[in-house]
Amino acid sequence: MVSYLMNCIDRFPKTANITEDNIKNSGYPIDEIIISDNGSTQQEIKDWAQGFSTRFYDNKENIGNAQSHNRMMEVCKGNYIVVAGNDIELPKGWLKKAIVELQDHKVGLVGFDWRDEKLEETHNGLKVTQRSPFGTWVFRRSLLETVGYFNEWSKYGLWDSAYALRCKNKGYINGYLKDAPSKHKGDDVGEDSEYRRMKNEELQKAKEGYSE
């Protein structure tokens, strides 16, 4: 059984189009879709998320990325968990290929490279990364029992890097699928929007927690 988890804030229809395409192109059945809206001002995204998902959380404000994912992971039922970006376009057959790699219990996090990282070390069908495999992840539910849930230092930032490091410290291998790149359709680095300013501020808080 597979659980697909995603946070969203506004950005309709981009979020809807990317998410629907990703699920169609997964190559493997997805049994439940849980979406958490973190304070969108657009009613369209809330209406879509509620109608499209198996379970929907309508947060009146941004409770945080890691916080929302932790709540979804507490209730999801899948043996495999997808933590999906709402602006990450995934390749065809992405989920089927990831689950093949996860049959090896040495593997922790399987990601889909959108940075074109030059990685030479490999493990079966993975390009091994010593950092976080940024973007969308697929992993076994059993990881929550051995590694735990995401760090809740702030509303945004570094929870993914910290979790990858915690997986590595437990002896797991993290990596990107070979020949299965993704595309990041929502990069806002350098913008001066209210959303980007929030991310920058919360990232500073996360850096303190990550350093500790």
Side-chain angles (χ1 to χ4, degrees):
M1 184 173 181
V2 176
S3 299
Y4 186 102
L5 316 181
M6 188 185 73
N7 287 326
C8 61
I9 302 179
D10 293 322
R11 292 200 287 185
F12 183 84
K14 178 184 292 184
T15 294
N17 293 336
I18 288 176
T19 302
E20 291 179 16
D21 285 346
N22 285 343
I23 289 173
K24 288 177 185 176
N25 292 330
S26 64
Y28 195 95
I30 294 173
D31 301 280
E32 63 175 354
I33 301 167
I34 306 179
I35 299 177
S36 182
D37 183 274
N38 263 343
S40 289
T41 59
Q42 297 175 340
Q43 188 60 41
E44 297 95 331
I45 189 69
K46 294 185 179 185
D47 291 343
W48 167 81
Q50 187 167 21
F52 186 73
S53 62
T54 309
R55 185 167 187 157
F56 175 60
Y57 291 101
D58 184 6
N59 302 319
K60 302 307 179 186
E61 61 183 21
N62 184 0
I63 67 171
N65 207 2
Q67 292 86 337
S68 293
H69 281 309
N70 283 340
R71 180 166 68 174
M72 291 188 283
M73 289 190 294
E74 286 176 351
V75 301
C76 74
K77 301 175 182 177
N79 300 316
Y80 297 98
I81 297 175
V82 181
V83 172
N86 64 356
D87 57 3
I88 302 289
E89 189 177 88
L90 300 171
K92 288 187 177 181
W94 60 273
L95 180 55
K96 181 178 180 180
K97 295 174 183 177
I99 288 178
V100 168
E101 298 306 318
L102 288 169
Q103 301 313 299
D104 181 349
H105 281 241
K106 294 179 182 177
V107 174
L109 305 174
V110 175
F112 310 87
D113 188 9
W114 58 267
R115 295 182 166 191
D116 192 25
E117 294 196 30
K118 306 303 180 185
L119 303 171
E120 296 182 359
E121 184 183 354
T122 62
H123 179 83
N124 297 331
L126 294 180
K127 298 186 298 179
V128 177
T129 177
Q130 302 303 321
R131 304 193 303 161
S132 173
F134 294 105
T136 294
W137 286 346
V138 185
F139 56 92
R140 292 181 305 278
R141 184 184 189 86
S142 58
L143 215 60
L144 300 178
E145 300 172 5
T146 55
V147 181
Y149 289 72
F150 300 152
N151 296 93
E152 298 183 358
W153 298 307
S154 68
K155 295 180 181 179
Y156 175 83
L158 296 181
W159 58 268
D160 46 1
S161 296
Y163 201 73
L165 179 59
R166 289 163 54 197
C167 288
K168 180 183 174 184
N169 289 343
K170 289 286 187 179
Y172 291 105
I173 297 168
N174 306 316
Y176 294 108
L177 276 178
K178 294 179 184 176
D179 303 316
S182 63
K183 296 179 181 179
H184 189 195
K185 297 291 189 175
D187 191 358
D188 62 350
V189 174
E191 293 183 4
D192 191 33
S193 64
E194 181 180 352
Y195 181 60
R196 184 67 241 184
R197 289 194 296 271
M198 177 278 295
K199 289 165 73 172
N200 291 341
E201 182 179 334
E202 294 296 319
L203 183 58
Q204 291 303 313
K205 298 176 185 178
K207 286 180 179 178
E208 296 178 9
Y210 185 78
S211 296
E212 292 177 6

